[in-house]
Amino acid sequence: MARGQSQFLRIFSGDTTYQRWQAYYVNTSVTWESASWSYQPFDADGITAGEVQSESSISVTLPATTNVMEVVLQALDEARLAELRLYEFDTILGNSTPQTGQTLIASYLGEVVGVSGGFTSIQMQLGSSLSPVGAQVPPRTFSTRLIGAPCKL
């Protein structure tokens, strides 16, 4: 068996999907799960290295094109979710389209919580917007405007 791995990234909110990208089938759009996935070279660290733990984040590196920048910045501004899935398949059976028998070997679902980068690439951070520590969900900073004047003893 000649093993291949493909990655699929979907940016969505509720029932609305804003972008579907795949990073294996070069310069072509493919149909998978009754949807069209366009090619966009990206690399997700953490999921392939086996470092995904509970409450950890994943960084997805994408090229800094105009289209990618618009999609990613809007996803950050509107707190959209991103689902990243990694599949394994046998390349001997063909690798021009996704195989129906490919195996899901890893997946990650998180909110777009950060964006950084430079002229050639950007990093999109996926994770939880909730703090792992705090009494509130999300934790709040109490101020006099929020709770009034505190008691003075």
Side-chain angles (χ1 to χ4, degrees):
M1 174 177 165
R3 192 180 103 187
Q5 291 183 350
S6 58
Q7 293 182 348
F8 290 80
L9 177 67
R10 177 174 73 111
I11 298 174
F12 67 100
S13 179
D15 291 336
T16 305
T17 298
Y18 295 96
Q19 192 66 54
R20 287 186 179 94
W21 288 320
Q22 54 86 17
Y24 182 81
Y25 306 96
V26 180
N27 294 328
T28 187
S29 292
V30 296
T31 301
W32 175 244
E33 296 179 335
S34 302
S36 180
W37 299 77
S38 61
Y39 174 73
Q40 189 64 253
F42 65 86
D43 182 42
D45 67 349
I47 197 165
T48 56
E51 298 170 1
V52 176
Q53 303 162 6
S54 66
E55 298 183 24
S56 66
S57 63
I58 287 185
S59 177
V60 179
T61 303
L62 295 141
T65 63
T66 305
N67 179 43
V68 170
M69 293 291 289
E70 289 174 2
V71 170
V72 170
L73 291 175
Q74 193 168 25
L76 177 65
D77 290 343
E78 297 184 13
R80 292 182 179 158
L81 298 175
E83 179 183 31
L84 178 65
R85 291 187 280 170
L86 180 65
Y87 291 94
E88 180 180 77
F89 58 95
D90 187 356
T91 58
I92 293 175
L93 299 176
N95 62 358
S96 60
T97 60
Q99 298 173 8
T100 56
Q102 64 184 359
T103 306
L104 177 66
I105 57 174
S107 66
Y108 185 86
L109 177 65
E111 182 180 328
V112 178
V113 293
V115 175
S116 62
F119 290 112
T120 59
S121 66
I122 60 169
Q123 289 76 39
M124 177 175 64
Q125 286 294 122
L126 306 180
S128 175
S129 61
L130 302 177
S131 174
V133 179
Q136 303 290 324
V137 181
R140 292 181 171 243
T141 302
F142 292 104
S143 65
T144 55
R145 194 183 87 186
L146 184 63
I147 61 171
C151 274
K152 294 183 181 180
L153 301 172

